[in-house]
Amino acid sequence: MSETGSVLKGDPREKLRWSRRLSLTSRILFVNVLPLVLLGGGVIYVDAYRKQLLDERFKLALVEAQITAEALAGATPQRQEALLIQIGKEQRLRLRVYGPDGILESDSFKLAPPSFTLPSADQVDQDAFALQLDRWFDRVVGAPALPDYLEPESDDAEDWPELRRAREESLTQIVLRDAPDGTHVINAAAPVGLDGDTLLLTRNPVDITERVRQARSSVALVVLLALAISILLSLFLAQTIVRPLRELVQAAIRVRQGRDRQVEVPRLPQRRDEIGMLARSISDMTAALRQRIDAVEHFAADVAHEIKNPLASLRSATESLSKVEDPQLRAQLLDIATHDVRRIDRLVTEISDASRIDAEMSRTEFEPVDLAHLLCTIIESRAARAEDEGRTLEVSGAENPVPVMGVPVRLERVIQNLLDNAVSFSPPNGRVWAEIARHDGWVTLRICDEGPGIPEEKREAVFQRFHSDRPAEEDFGNHSGLGLAIARTIAEAHDGTLIATSRSDGEPGACLELGLPAKR
């Protein structure tokens, strides 16, 4: 059953699993940006809502001022007073008429009880929080500061700029001011008839401020709710980060202390974010480190075992020399000691090479190498030094250059080891042949012999360190068992392969095949 299918339907953990597929950056941005987006959107909405309401009241005040001015034009003073009282009461307005000389002639608030009153200083103190909130919103949206609405001590036309402009331009003028309680006051001035009278209409649209404040309260509530959700999500996000990190830290400590060889670093396969990537990387790194440590321990044990045998033989020979008087027997013991010394020297050299190849290859820069030319040069050198012990070495496919990228000295070591192996397993006067081919961006070098061959079940074992399955007639200790292991290590360091196969013609014998990427 798949991992997803193993979770029961309706499991709350499944509902949260979508968040694990998001990167940490996406989740952190979402948690932090959500309240800001809601706040910004709410502020913009409330400001647009306030402007829309004010625009509507501006248009209404303009129409009311013009209609009232037309109704007052030509009416008798008694009729004007009656109209001022009636319109002011029905529309909740304050209407004032100023004569041609700018002196106040009629005031609906003096003719009848006021239809509205601006709050006193005590009421303003009670609404201090609402006023502060209004100022904060205005600063956020960049609303221009409005002049305060103040009643002049001597009420005449010169005290109202809109009245002066209406008298001078014979056009209706509208001005918006702030009342002490933060509400708006709309003044509209309109000329009355042709006698030079002027009407001043004053409206206090308290409902606009109340509706805007309600909208702002709703926005504040949404933002507070979003902030609470953001805090909860932040805590949840912190847990999703801290908890797995703690698990990784505890596993890393156990691995470092080495108290539990079987400790498993959690891979967190259900997470697709950076934490999951880190967990899997640490798990893979730990597994690789563990393999490397195990390999080093096995290598050290193998080295101790391989050196112990010739040392024991050498010790026995040297201890016996002082007790043996027979010259012939002493000569035999000296031959044994010399052979063991050479064997130890060869082992130390091979072990030194095997231990430093990985580090050396990681620091070496590759260069173009003609593998065909390198092979021919090695075969000629071996023939000149008579290293083939009577075996015949043949080459095919080396007529044209076969370039690869690599380290010439190390590739020469691989070819030498493969040829040494083929020669040692070939019968006397036998034949060894090398074939080079290039296909599909890959270069292969096959070196085959006429020896007993390698059983299929042992074809991987021959590349293990200190593995040595030699012919019975061969002198013991002439090979360290590291040659093919070193050759494969070098091949893999060149991004290549080294495998053992049987001969393609079905005859007895083994083939070792080196594969390297061709130079582009």
Side-chain angles (χ1 to χ4, degrees):
M1 182 179 292
S2 66
E3 181 183 347
T4 304
S6 64
V7 180
L8 296 177
K9 185 176 181 182
D11 190 340
R13 292 175 297 178
E14 178 65 19
K15 297 177 181 178
L16 295 176
R17 187 160 294 178
W18 63 270
S19 65
R20 296 174 180 174
R21 299 189 182 99
L22 297 175
S23 67
L24 292 179
T25 303
S26 302
R27 279 186 271 173
I28 292 172
L29 285 176
F30 173 77
V31 168
N32 289 280
V33 168
L34 176 63
L36 296 177
V37 170
L38 292 176
L39 176 61
V43 168
I44 294 173
Y45 163 74
V46 172
D47 185 57
Y49 181 57
R50 180 176 66 90
K51 288 180 179 179
Q52 180 183 0
L53 293 177
L54 287 175
D55 287 342
E56 292 176 356
R57 294 306 170 88
F58 273 20
K59 295 176 182 177
L60 178 60
L62 179 64
V63 172
E64 288 176 335
Q66 292 174 346
I67 292 176
T68 304
E70 291 177 0
L72 295 175
T76 62
Q78 294 78 9
R79 178 59 180 165
Q80 284 186 351
E81 291 179 0
L83 288 173
L84 293 177
I85 294 172
Q86 180 183 0
I87 296 174
K89 182 179 180 181
E90 293 178 354
Q91 303 298 324
R92 296 180 58 82
L93 300 173
R94 182 177 185 179
L95 301 173
R96 283 172 277 194
V97 178
Y98 297 83
D101 55 358
I103 303 301
L104 177 63
E105 295 181 349
S106 300
D107 186 349
S108 63
F109 275 21
K110 294 180 180 179
L111 297 174
S115 58
F116 67 87
T117 56
L118 295 177
S120 63
D122 295 339
Q123 292 173 319
V124 171
D125 291 339
Q126 293 175 1
D127 295 337
F129 176 75
L131 284 173
Q132 189 64 30
L133 190 61
D134 291 342
R135 295 191 186 100
W136 183 83
F137 267 92
D138 289 340
R139 280 198 293 269
V140 169
V141 299
L146 299 176
D148 295 332
Y149 178 81
L150 298 173
E151 285 288 342
E153 295 181 1
S154 58
D155 193 353
D156 54 41
E158 293 301 320
D159 294 322
W160 304 101
E162 57 269 29
L163 276 175
R164 294 198 303 268
R165 291 196 300 271
R167 292 161 64 89
E168 294 170 358
E169 300 175 11
S170 297
L171 294 174
T172 303
Q173 304 291 329
I174 297 180
V175 174
L176 180 67
R177 293 184 175 87
D178 271 344
D181 64 343
T183 60
H184 298 303
V185 177
I186 299 175
N187 270 6
V192 179
L194 302 176
D195 297 334
D197 291 345
T198 312
L199 170 68
L200 180 63
L201 179 149
T202 302
R203 175 185 287 277
N204 179 219
V206 180
D207 60 320
I208 291 180
T209 303
E210 292 176 349
R211 291 162 69 179
V212 170
R213 285 178 178 173
Q214 289 177 358
R216 287 174 177 172
S217 299
S218 300
V219 170
L221 181 61
V222 172
V223 171
L224 288 176
L225 181 61
L227 186 60
I229 294 174
S230 177
I231 292 174
L232 293 176
L233 288 175
S234 297
L235 294 175
F236 171 73
L237 180 60
Q239 285 297 317
T240 61
I241 296 175
V242 172
R243 186 178 301 168
L245 286 180
R246 284 176 178 170
E247 293 178 4
L248 293 176
V249 169
Q250 292 171 358
I253 291 174
R254 292 199 301 271
V255 171
R256 177 178 61 82
Q257 292 174 342
R259 294 179 180 176
D260 185 3
R261 293 285 295 172
Q262 302 302 320
V263 61
E264 290 293 334
V265 178
R267 295 183 62 83
L268 305 179
Q270 73 278 10
R271 298 189 67 127
R272 297 294 181 265
D273 57 11
E274 292 85 349
I275 296 292
M277 295 170 60
L278 175 63
R280 289 182 284 278
S281 297
I282 292 179
S283 178
D284 293 340
M285 180 188 69
T286 303
L289 180 61
R290 190 172 291 152
Q291 291 177 358
R292 180 60 63 89
I293 292 174
D294 290 343
V296 170
E297 290 178 352
H298 290 318
F299 183 64
D302 291 340
V303 167
H305 175 74
E306 292 296 324
I307 292 182
K308 186 176 181 180
N309 289 334
L311 278 178
S313 175
L314 178 61
R315 178 181 178 182
S316 175
T318 55
E319 288 178 350
S320 301
L321 277 174
S322 61
K323 303 175 183 179
V324 175
E325 300 295 337
D326 185 0
Q328 185 176 359
L329 185 56
R330 288 176 63 89
Q332 290 179 354
L333 290 175
L334 284 173
D335 288 341
I336 292 173
T338 303
H339 179 271
D340 288 337
V341 168
R342 286 200 300 268
R343 182 181 174 191
I344 292 174
D345 179 68
R346 182 167 53 252
L347 272 173
V348 170
T349 302
E350 296 282 354
I351 290 169
S352 175
D353 256 2
S355 62
R356 69 168 180 262
I357 280 177
D358 286 340
E360 180 182 313
M361 293 299 298
S362 65
R363 297 190 299 265
T364 305
E365 293 186 4
F366 288 2
E367 60 182 84
V369 180
D370 184 356
L371 197 63
H373 177 72
L374 181 62
L375 174 64
C376 294
T377 302
I378 293 172
I379 290 177
E380 291 174 1
S381 176
R382 291 175 65 91
R385 295 195 300 268
E387 294 181 0
D388 300 327
E389 301 176 3
R391 278 78 169 179
T392 302
L393 268 62
E394 301 177 359
V395 179
S396 63
E399 298 80 10
N400 299 315
V402 183
V404 297
M405 294 297 295
V407 181
V409 175
R410 288 305 175 186
L411 291 178
E412 179 182 354
R413 177 66 180 275
V414 174
I415 297 174
Q416 287 280 20
N417 286 1
L418 298 184
L419 291 173
D420 285 342
N421 183 81
V423 167
S424 68
F425 280 97
S426 293
N429 301 319
R431 185 170 66 99
V432 174
W433 63 97
E435 303 172 352
I436 293 184
R438 176 173 180 171
H439 54 86
D440 298 332
W442 202 256
V443 173
T444 58
L445 169 60
R446 286 170 56 88
I447 297 179
C448 303
D449 59 57
E450 295 178 336
I454 305 174
E456 187 172 354
E457 66 274 9
K458 295 184 177 180
R459 288 178 184 172
E460 275 301 309
V462 298
F463 296 104
Q464 296 176 2
R465 289 173 174 175
F466 299 111
H467 177 87
S468 184
D469 190 5
R470 312 303 305 178
E473 64 274 10
E474 184 175 300
D475 290 339
F476 177 76
N478 287 336
H479 294 272
S480 65
L482 289 171
L484 293 183
I486 291 174
R488 173 172 274 191
T489 301
I490 296 174
E492 291 176 348
H494 284 77
D495 298 324
T497 60
L498 180 60
I499 60 174
T501 64
S502 58
R503 289 173 48 175
S504 57
D505 56 9
E507 295 295 326
C511 289
L512 295 175
E513 182 176 307
L514 170 67
L516 295 172
K519 181 179 178 299
R520 297 180 180 178

